[in-house]
Amino acid sequence: MAASKPVEPDTGTGLPRWQVALLVGTPIVLGVGAIYLWNRSRTKQTRAKGSGERKTPEGSASPVQGQDAQRGRSPLDKAQAAKNKGNKYFKAGKYENAIRCYTEAISLCPTEQKSDLSTFYQNRAAAYEQLSKWTEVVQDCTKAVEFNPRYIKALFRRAKALEKLDNKKECLEDVTAVCILEAFQNQQSMLLADKVLKQLGKEKAKEKYKNREPLMPSPQFIKSYFSSFTDDIISQPLQKGEKKDEDKDKEGEAVEVSESSGYLKAKQYMEEENYDKIISECTKEIDSEGRYTAEALLLRATFYLLIGISTAAEPDLDRVINMKDANVKLRANALIKRGSMYMQQQQPLLSTQDFNMAAESDTRNPDVYHHRGQLKILLDQVDEAVSDFDECILLRPDYALAQAQKCFALYRQAYTGNNPSQVQIAMDGFEAVIKRFPKCAEGYALYAQALTDQQQFGKADEMYDKCIELEPDNATTYVHKGLLQLQWKQDLDLGLDLISKAIEIDNKCDFAYETMGTIEVQRGNLDKAIDMFNKAINLAKSEMEMAHLYSLCDAAYAQTEVARKYGLKPPTL
């Protein structure tokens, strides 16, 4: 929506992005918890292994001993007997009695018996957990970990207690250690890590985003954004009627406009790619209640959205939408942009309402159906998305982008539904699109993603080369091509060179920094990964995207802490 890149159904990761394929044979999913991405080749085993709750105390019971038999027994034997008694109380749900027995075991156990002491503390923590005494759980698990630094049960129990105490940072460190120790084979610990990462990401993004400095995207991004609209008055070049009389017949010369119109001056700045001056010129038009007030409101709102200030954009969009005498296409465009904004804010009902209102008010506007189709993909309503793309194509048969995205929607539907015959139909559709529209870079890019899924790497590489030939300043294509080299040829150096090239072309390409950070995590270069994620965070275009990036950064930072505290490191490339 309101963008030229493909949109994806929400996978539960917080970010609707399907565009990253595989890295060195292992899927890269740039979702919240998926910074732990080296384990994915064994995901199926995860479902069956270790998915149950860790509730029971540890230590097998010894035969019941009479008082005579216990005389002369070692302190450790007595401690074990007390623990066994505590285990019986625990299983009977008598947790206070269990705690007393475990406390006795701790007091009787010789200090050099670290393994036994660790078990006793962990068992007492389990009993405290049943009574929701979270501080005591943390304290006892901490003692257990002091005696046994790689004690999975104690680390995970402490992680759960820390979550209850709202100490997400230390919770994340503990559950990260657990994931590494379990070789990422326990779904329960993976889910907790994912949950905490999402929460941390949302909290940090909410604070950061409202205080962030506005940042104008790169010219390439802005042009790509506007290219996703075909019926947008404000993005069209200056018309003759908008020029000064003496300029109307000057073909090929720079347009000069009356200084009295802030909006027309803003349009001239758009043509010159002098984007930083557009908002101020639109404000002049609005404040003077000029002839182009509605257009200026919409253009100003659009650039507020582009620099990430939705709170300023929304009132402007509201005013345009409520202007009964405004051009219907201006109102429809405002509804599309407000609907897209709502979707970024994870308000799909409000988003759907705005797109439906736009379709009702301007029934023959192809942009409405194009962007609503992308919304439907996000909502995993692929049949409805295809219908909208069809309507868009009916109204604008030469609209290559809609044709390509329709093929993409059909491919996703067939691929996720494991329907080989429909997959082939979609692939044939891509061939038809690039043959009919050989200048549409987006068609090649989407086809390349599908080819990568089908492991037709050589042809996918050719498609990316065509994209670069058509749009040499499109940084995102270099990132995709770099990832392809990693999967196809396991060529880490070439892959990183291509992603570095993307950053060289567009140093505001957050996707490039994010991908570079993800690769550095897999290489074990956590400090560099954190630096890359922080750069991406500062470039994030929405609070939702920023939350996702914070979660990746927090996961990498947690791994540095786990390595420092416990000497634990996951496998690297």
Side-chain angles (χ1 to χ4, degrees):
M1 299 168 300
S4 64
K5 60 186 179 183
V7 292
E8 304 305 331
D10 191 347
T11 61
T13 64
L15 186 70
R17 180 173 284 163
W18 186 64
Q19 58 219 27
V20 179
L22 302 177
L23 177 61
V24 195
T26 303
I28 290 186
V29 183
L30 292 185
V32 173
I35 195 67
Y36 308 109
L37 22 85
W38 42 82
N39 72 304
R40 295 307 193 195
S41 62
R42 294 177 290 180
T43 300
K44 292 182 180 178
Q45 299 173 24
T46 302
R47 303 290 187 235
K49 182 177 178 181
S51 59
E53 287 275 355
R54 302 175 175 94
K55 288 185 177 179
T56 57
E58 287 193 340
S60 59
S62 302
V64 177
Q65 304 289 336
Q67 290 185 356
D68 290 339
Q70 296 212 38
R71 293 194 188 102
R73 297 185 73 193
S74 70
L76 179 58
D77 288 339
K78 292 177 181 179
Q80 289 286 1
K83 178 212 63 179
N84 292 341
K85 189 176 180 182
N87 287 356
K88 289 182 178 180
Y89 280 128
F90 187 98
K91 291 175 182 177
K94 298 179 179 180
Y95 303 116
E96 294 286 4
N97 290 343
I99 288 167
R100 283 193 288 271
C101 291
Y102 295 141
T103 301
E104 181 183 356
I106 291 167
S107 66
L108 290 169
C109 187
T111 56
E112 65 271 15
Q113 299 295 329
K114 294 183 178 181
S115 177
D116 295 288
L117 278 168
S118 181
T119 299
F120 301 157
Y121 275 109
Q122 197 283 142
N123 284 8
R124 192 169 72 175
Y128 280 129
E129 182 181 48
Q130 296 301 311
L131 298 173
S132 300
K133 294 186 175 182
W134 307 116
T135 300
E136 288 83 354
V137 174
V138 170
Q139 291 171 347
D140 274 6
C141 286
T142 299
K143 294 294 293 184
V145 172
E146 285 175 6
F147 290 118
N148 180 3
R150 299 193 175 194
Y151 196 169
I152 292 174
K153 277 193 174 182
L155 285 165
F156 189 70
R157 181 158 278 120
R158 187 170 67 179
K160 292 188 292 181
L162 288 165
E163 183 196 14
K164 294 290 186 181
L165 294 170
D166 201 33
N167 187 341
K168 298 182 184 69
K169 177 179 177 293
E170 292 186 20
C171 169
L172 179 61
E173 291 172 11
D174 277 354
V175 76
T176 298
V178 171
C179 288
I180 294 172
L181 287 167
E182 294 178 327
F184 302 89
Q185 293 301 292
N186 190 300
Q187 189 180 23
Q188 191 183 5
S189 49
M190 291 287 288
L191 288 173
L192 178 59
D194 190 74
K195 177 183 177 183
V196 175
L197 283 167
K198 286 180 179 178
Q199 292 171 344
L200 279 170
K202 286 180 180 178
E203 289 174 5
K204 291 184 177 181
K206 184 175 183 180
E207 184 63 27
K208 169 85 171 178
Y209 198 76
K210 68 182 181 182
N211 297 315
R212 70 194 286 269
E213 288 293 323
L215 180 69
M216 188 68 68
S218 66
Q220 194 279 331
F221 181 89
I222 293 172
K223 286 185 284 186
S224 177
Y225 175 89
F226 280 110
S227 73
S228 69
F229 296 92
T230 64
D231 213 359
D232 178 10
I233 294 172
I234 63 168
S235 64
Q236 300 303 315
L238 284 166
Q239 303 299 311
K240 282 192 174 182
E242 297 173 325
K243 303 176 186 178
K244 290 171 61 177
D245 289 341
E246 58 267 32
D247 294 317
K248 290 180 182 179
D249 297 322
K250 295 180 180 179
E251 297 298 331
E253 296 184 20
V255 175
E256 294 181 10
V257 299
S258 170
E259 291 294 333
S260 63
S261 173
Y263 170 70
L264 297 183
K265 191 70 175 176
K267 287 282 292 283
Q268 180 176 326
Y269 284 137
M270 273 193 71
E271 293 185 8
E272 297 169 356
E273 298 183 17
N274 193 353
Y275 300 120
D276 289 323
K277 295 183 178 181
I278 288 174
I279 288 176
S280 60
E281 291 299 329
C282 287
T283 300
K284 291 177 184 177
E285 182 78 21
I286 294 162
D287 289 346
S288 67
E289 298 182 355
R291 171 185 172 187
Y292 299 104
T293 296
E295 290 87 344
L297 282 164
L298 182 55
L299 184 57
R300 185 171 73 173
T302 301
F303 273 86
Y304 277 142
L305 290 173
L306 285 168
I307 64 176
I309 309 180
S310 59
T311 52
E314 189 168 3
D316 283 357
L317 294 172
D318 291 345
R319 283 184 64 182
V320 176
I321 291 165
N322 293 321
M323 284 182 173
K324 302 302 180 184
D325 57 343
N327 186 308
V328 68
K329 295 198 177 298
L330 290 176
R331 294 169 61 197
N333 189 269
L335 282 163
I336 292 170
K337 289 170 180 173
R338 192 174 71 176
S340 299
M341 179 192 72
Y342 284 144
M343 196 61 201
Q344 279 193 330
Q345 296 170 353
Q346 296 182 307
Q347 300 185 72
L349 291 179
L350 290 177
S351 180
T352 300
Q353 288 175 9
D354 273 1
F355 278 105
N356 291 345
M357 286 174 59
E360 292 169 4
S361 63
D362 193 5
T363 58
R364 299 191 59 77
N365 186 330
D367 290 341
V368 174
Y369 302 103
H370 174 208
H371 292 280
R372 189 171 69 177
Q374 295 187 60
L375 169 69
K376 296 301 184 183
I377 294 178
L378 281 171
L379 298 176
D380 204 21
Q381 299 170 1
V382 181
D383 288 340
E384 294 181 32
V386 172
S387 294
D388 274 337
F389 289 136
D390 280 337
E391 187 65 27
C392 175
I393 294 165
L394 181 65
L395 293 168
R396 188 65 62 86
D398 60 345
Y399 192 18
L401 182 56
Q403 301 264 10
Q405 290 187 334
K406 176 189 172 182
C407 286
F408 181 78
L410 290 170
Y411 171 74
R412 279 303 311 282
Q413 185 180 47
Y415 181 74
T416 56
N418 196 26
N419 189 328
S421 62
Q422 292 299 314
V423 165
Q424 187 57 54
I425 290 172
M427 301 298 273
D428 292 341
F430 279 123
E431 286 284 352
V433 167
I434 62 174
K435 183 177 181 180
R436 182 181 174 189
F437 304 103
K439 300 296 184 183
C440 177
E442 193 76 16
Y444 295 104
L446 292 173
Y447 190 20
Q449 291 183 45
L451 288 165
T452 301
D453 280 339
Q454 301 301 310
Q455 299 190 17
Q456 297 182 38
F457 302 128
K459 192 168 183 179
D461 197 44
E462 292 175 10
M463 295 300 105
Y464 284 132
D465 285 340
K466 289 293 293 184
C467 290
I468 291 170
E469 181 184 328
L470 291 166
E471 294 183 352
D473 60 346
N474 190 330
T476 301
T477 305
Y478 285 91
V479 179
H480 286 305
K481 184 174 171 66
L483 286 168
L484 176 64
Q485 308 313 308
L486 295 172
Q487 182 187 359
W488 177 22
K489 300 177 179 178
Q490 290 78 51
D491 191 334
L492 187 62
D493 291 335
L494 178 56
L496 290 173
D497 284 347
L498 285 163
I499 297 168
S500 297
K501 176 71 173 177
I503 294 172
E504 180 184 326
I505 290 171
D506 181 3
N507 64 4
K508 294 180 180 180
C509 181
D510 54 329
F511 179 43
Y513 290 113
E514 175 187 354
T515 306
M516 184 76 81
T518 303
I519 294 170
E520 294 298 350
V521 166
Q522 294 191 79
R523 298 177 75 196
N525 299 331
L526 296 175
D527 289 338
K528 186 171 182 180
I530 290 168
D531 180 56
M532 292 292 106
F533 290 140
N534 280 323
K535 287 180 178 178
I537 285 166
N538 291 328
L539 296 168
K541 298 175 182 67
S542 69
E543 186 176 325
M544 183 174 71
E545 184 177 351
M546 186 178 284
H548 159 72
L549 292 164
Y550 263 121
S551 69
L552 296 179
C553 190
D554 287 338
Y557 180 77
Q559 289 179 54
T560 67
E561 290 298 291
V562 168
R564 180 180 63 81
K565 290 180 180 179
Y566 307 114
L568 293 172
K569 294 182 180 180
T572 57
L573 293 176

